[in-house]
Amino acid sequence: MKRFSLFTGLLFLLFSCFFLKTTLAGPMDGAHFFSLDPDKSGPGDILYSSENGKFQFAFTIPGDQEIDALSSPQHPPVEPLDIYHRSFSMLFSIDGDSDIYEWCVDGTPIDILNGYFGPRDVSLDGHFLNKNPHQTFSYVHDDENDLGLADYDLDALESDEHRPPYPNPFPSHASGNVYFSTERSLWDPGDIYTSNWINPPQLYFDDKFLPDYLGDPDYNYDMNQIDAIVVFDFVGSQDSFDENPYDPYGADLILFSLAPGPYDPTGDNIYWINGNGFGGLLIDPHLSYNVDALDVHGCVPEPNTVFSVFTGLCILGLWIKKKKLVSN
């Protein structure tokens, strides 16, 4: 009976390892909302891909402008505290390319209470081998051929579904507003706007405040424009960038990149600001490309790493069980 139980347990563990390896080896992403640069549809149009080799129209943000960055107010399972203290994955595309790449961000936490504002460390990660002719990086999160975007430049990014389940963010769902910045329009291309789908879009964050939030009086908001955003809005109204006087880490949060300019000539740096007035450099990945789309989701261990860990646990469990049988 003991031998049978041990054999059954070992089979169960091995099956679990195989199941986890198979599950994690599959696509960890899902579908995406995005705009294309230059606009291939119409001003304000947002497109959608479910990774079936084609994309389609999704919805239009009110107003006559070209969308340059896109975000929903919530990004489960990632929370602002993950940005400051824990690991998370950042999805991005680069200017002139429609592949979606991924960083796993970890390292030294941002410590607001003790005045350490960053940047954090970053490691390049990915789930899919890249395909020719795009060999800029070794791995790509979503290949542009899967997205049906091989002839286009993906310019804004918001994910639809991830594991764990990621709520459909658009349009007009329980999470509320859509956030965006614009380019080539009469609107201020460095500001962030919000729309609740009922009223006309309104100003959410004016980039003239960035010198104060970044603690850098040399930042020129007229010459440097926000190019990609991730907005966390969970304090008070989703129509305004709110502080939280009770929690320095609990204020509304924005991650963003800048278009190439005097402040960041390449446009690859990622910055953070929160409603309490703190901010700084989050990531300096030392790329030679402009990062022009951003989103976040939870870090998932690489399949080989998970498989190795569980295999080791199986062997350890077998060894302990055998030792107990011998001692008895």
Side-chain angles (χ1 to χ4, degrees), residues 126-147:
H127 301 299
F128 301 100
L129 286 173
N130 211 341
K131 300 178 181 179
N132 287 321
H134 300 279
Q135 294 292 342
T136 306
F137 303 101
S138 298
Y139 291 90
V140 62
H141 185 280
D142 288 313
D143 190 278
E144 57 189 14
N145 297 287
D146 299 327
L147 300 171

Side-chain angles (χ1 to χ4, degrees), residues 38-274:
D39 199 326
K40 296 292 184 182
S41 180
D45 284 355
I46 301 298
L47 306 171
Y48 177 83
S49 170
S50 56
E51 298 186 336
N52 58 357
K54 59 184 179 180
F55 61 90
Q56 64 193 49
F57 170 81
F59 59 88
T60 298
I61 295 178
D64 185 17
Q65 69 287 315
E66 184 174 342
I67 302 301
D68 192 36
L70 179 69
S71 183
S72 65
Q74 300 174 6
H75 304 269
V78 179
E79 299 177 348
L81 199 58
D82 296 314
I83 308 299
Y84 298 119
H85 280 281
R86 296 187 282 263
S87 296
F88 67 97
S89 286
M90 177 173 283
L91 312 184
F92 65 99
S93 71
I94 59 176
D95 195 19
D97 195 321
S98 289
D99 287 334
I100 300 175
Y101 304 96
E102 178 176 351
W103 289 311
C104 184
V105 183
D106 51 20
T108 306
I110 293 172
D111 188 352
I112 292 176
L113 297 178
N114 293 306
Y116 177 74
F117 296 147
R120 299 192 61 175
D121 299 330
V122 60
S123 59
L124 191 61
D125 192 9
H127 301 299
F128 301 100
L129 286 173
N130 211 341
K131 300 178 181 179
N132 287 321
H134 300 279
Q135 294 292 342
T136 306
F137 303 101
S138 298
Y139 291 90
V140 62
H141 185 280
D142 288 313
D143 190 278
E144 57 189 14
N145 297 287
D146 299 327
L147 300 171
L149 297 172
D151 297 326
Y152 302 93
D153 175 17
L154 188 150
D155 195 38
L157 178 63
E158 177 66 19
S159 299
D160 181 1
E161 295 181 12
H162 293 284
R163 288 198 291 264
Y166 194 109
N168 188 333
F170 303 119
S172 188
H173 68 310
S175 295
N177 294 15
V178 58
Y179 302 85
F180 61 95
S181 65
T182 65
E183 64 178 341
R184 288 190 285 274
S185 72
L186 297 177
W187 299 24
D188 186 332
D191 292 341
I192 297 174
Y193 301 89
T194 184
S195 171
N196 61 7
W197 311 100
I198 300 173
N199 301 315
Q202 67 182 57
L203 181 65
Y204 180 74
F205 181 81
D206 192 325
D207 68 342
K208 71 180 182 181
F209 296 112
L210 280 180
D212 297 330
Y213 280 78
L214 295 175
D216 189 348
D218 294 330
Y219 180 87
N220 187 322
Y221 60 87
D222 286 327
M223 299 180 66
N224 302 277
Q225 305 298 341
I226 288 176
D227 196 31
I229 57 172
V230 176
V231 175
F232 291 87
D233 191 310
F234 60 99
V235 181
S237 170
Q238 292 189 355
D239 294 330
S240 58
F241 190 49
D242 297 311
E243 65 176 342
N244 184 349
Y246 306 105
D247 183 0
Y249 298 102
D252 291 345
L253 174 68
I254 300 175
L255 311 180
F256 64 95
S257 69
L258 296 172
Y263 201 74
D264 182 7
T266 304
D268 63 332
N269 291 343
I270 310 299
Y271 301 89
W272 67 276
I273 56 173
N274 75 13

